[in-house]
Amino acid sequence: MSERVDSPSAAGGDRSSSSSGLSRRGFLAASAITAAGTLAGCAGTGSGATARARSASIWETPETVEQRDGMPYRVFGATGERVSILGIGGYHIGVQPTVDEAVCIMRTAIDGGINFMDNAWEYNGGRSEEHMGAALADGYREKTFLMTKVCGRDAKTAMSNLEDSLRRLRTDVIDLWQFHECNYDNDPDWIFADDGAIHAAVKAKEQGKVRYIGFTGHKSPHIHLKMLAQDFEWDALQCPLNVMDGQYRSFARQVLPVAIARGLGVVGMKPLGGDGGIPRNGGVSVEECLRYSLSLNIPVTLSGMDTLAHLQENMAIVKRFTPLTVAERDALHARVRGVAGDGRLERFKSTNRFDSKTHRDQHGFT
């Protein structure tokens, strides 16, 4: 099973270095609440929780609200949207040798019940969005919940990214538009600056070009908390959630309880470690990895599927999915304890190996 390792990039992604002109929620308050969260569950409400708030137990596996072609669906946070619990990673769509092969994989996924589509402006220099756009023609767009990510950190560049994405994806509207790879401590400052990309997102939503707004990142929970501390009503976020995460720089412990309490649609990623390293070197199977992530209190988990065989294997696992029992969960935690605590199988948290070139260039890293 393969997942994204690194992504060649299209040029671009300007940014502003001015300080944020928007007020912020209390970051320290949010941090204190999330620090109390544990893998056994957390009842905290999170900073800035609204009427959307709900139980913050991370092990309260969401109910299946329907099935399509045997694929379970869950409600996507407070949006009310229904999404397949397995989403198809957009990066791998762009590495297919031909458009026809990419279209075959995507349409097989959609015909098999998957409706959550992941992508990003920078994936494979735009080829991932172009291939996905081809696959979504002929009525397939209407069957999907389409997400792509914006790389620009200032409003002008972000809006340019959006126009590129709309053209490549052959659509008039993006269901979920997320700020890509908030991996650096000053990314929230850039995005919420006076000329920051957040203003493009608000404008795009007002214009009907995007429906929901979120952010992603795979480096550090504290950067997610800083994004959550902004005075903004997020719809979604995306972060790594896997069997190793709970014991090293844990998004499940620190971020997930706040996101759940605020009613956000949480997109889990890297269930296999980003390069398949967790099942390959962690003493757990692909099915155990997917069952673990799917048992969390999140609506959807993304997995990179670069062949029809990988897609079909994952769909079969998900269609027979049952949540982990407490005993099974405890046994998995005990089994991976020796390799989970130092992050050796989650190097996307501690190295730039998994970071896109676009964002390394933005920050002056080679």
Side-chain angles (χ1 to χ4, degrees):
M1 191 65 56
S2 65
E3 291 189 358
R4 177 186 176 194
V5 176
D6 198 3
S7 58
S9 160
D14 229 351
R15 52 73 174 168
S16 166
S17 59
S18 61
S19 60
S20 173
L22 301 178
S23 61
R24 301 177 182 176
R25 292 184 173 95
F27 174 60
L28 292 178
S31 300
I33 290 169
T34 55
T38 69
L39 288 178
C42 170
T45 58
S47 173
T50 68
R52 308 192 308 174
R54 55 195 175 94
S55 168
S57 169
I58 70 171
W59 288 113
E60 188 178 327
T61 305
E63 68 172 313
T64 296
V65 293
E66 66 172 294
Q67 291 194 7
R68 301 180 191 175
D69 297 298
M71 176 66 60
Y73 274 61
R74 295 171 179 170
V75 176
F76 192 66
T79 70
E81 302 287 345
R82 295 185 172 195
V83 297
S84 55
I85 66 174
L86 177 67
I88 188 165
Y91 177 80
H92 291 83
I93 296 304
V95 302
Q96 301 307 309
T98 67
V99 174
D100 287 345
E101 290 173 85
V103 169
C104 179
I105 291 174
M106 278 208 60
R107 292 189 175 179
T108 300
I110 297 168
D111 290 339
I114 294 176
N115 81 330
F116 195 99
M117 303 290 116
D118 160 79
N119 222 309
W121 175 85
E122 60 91 14
Y123 284 167
N124 298 291
R127 193 165 60 252
S128 285
E129 289 187 331
E130 290 170 350
H131 284 186
M132 186 168 283
L136 294 179
D138 304 322
Y140 276 85
R141 171 66 182 94
E142 289 72 26
K143 300 177 181 180
T144 64
F145 184 87
L146 179 60
M147 180 267 282
T148 195
K149 312 181 198 81
V150 52
C151 295
R153 294 307 193 227
D154 67 276
K156 181 178 179 180
T157 306
M159 192 60 78
S160 176
N161 287 177
L162 177 59
E163 295 302 332
D164 288 341
S165 294
L166 290 169
R167 183 184 68 257
R168 295 167 181 165
L169 291 165
R170 305 185 193 184
T171 188
D172 295 325
V173 60
I174 305 297
D175 293 311
L176 173 59
W177 201 43
Q178 301 203 94
F179 295 106
H180 187 40
E181 285 196 12
C182 296
N183 287 345
Y184 301 84
D185 285 61
N186 56 348
D187 278 336
D189 300 321
W190 289 0
I191 291 168
F192 282 86
D194 291 341
D195 63 346
I198 191 64
H199 304 291
V202 171
K203 183 177 180 180
K205 191 170 185 179
E206 291 171 349
Q207 293 174 337
K209 295 180 178 180
V210 303
R211 299 176 63 215
Y212 305 110
I213 300 169
F215 66 92
T216 81
H218 57 247
K219 266 292 194 297
S220 175
H222 84 269
I223 299 174
H224 269 58
L225 293 176
K226 190 172 181 181
M227 289 292 284
L228 288 170
Q230 305 298 323
D231 187 16
F232 187 76
E233 193 80 2
W234 297 106
D235 297 302
L237 65 78
Q238 182 171 327
C239 62
L241 292 168
N242 59 59
V243 68
M244 302 291 168
D245 169 78
Q247 300 183 52
Y248 178 72
R249 300 184 186 179
S250 178
F251 286 87
R253 289 179 182 272
Q254 299 181 55
V255 175
L256 189 52
V258 175
I260 294 170
R262 287 174 56 171
L264 304 190
V266 177
V267 182
M269 63 176 168
K270 304 191 187 303
L272 310 183
D275 59 359
I278 291 178
R280 188 169 59 246
N281 301 308
V284 289
S285 68
V286 169
E287 182 157 3
E288 287 173 323
C289 289
L290 288 175
R291 279 190 71 204
Y292 186 93
S293 297
L294 295 169
S295 295
L296 289 164
N297 191 352
I298 62 175
V300 58
T301 294
L302 299 178
S303 184
M305 296 173 281
D306 58 356
T307 68
L308 274 176
H310 288 162
L311 169 66
Q312 290 164 344
E313 178 187 2
N314 281 5
M315 286 200 300
I317 289 171
V318 172
K319 289 182 179 185
R320 63 175 178 258
F321 163 74
T322 57
L324 293 173
T325 65
V326 174
E328 288 174 321
R329 188 175 75 219
D330 290 347
L332 278 175
H333 288 161
R335 197 192 314 168
V336 303
R337 186 168 294 119
V339 293
D342 57 14
R344 70 184 73 177
L345 299 179
E346 294 187 285
R347 297 196 179 183
F348 47 84
K349 294 179 179 178
S350 58
T351 74
N352 67 3
R353 177 186 170 203
F354 292 79
D355 298 356
S356 81
K357 186 176 184 300
T358 293
H359 297 298
R360 292 200 302 268
D361 288 348
Q362 284 175 340
H363 289 270
F365 292 95
T366 57

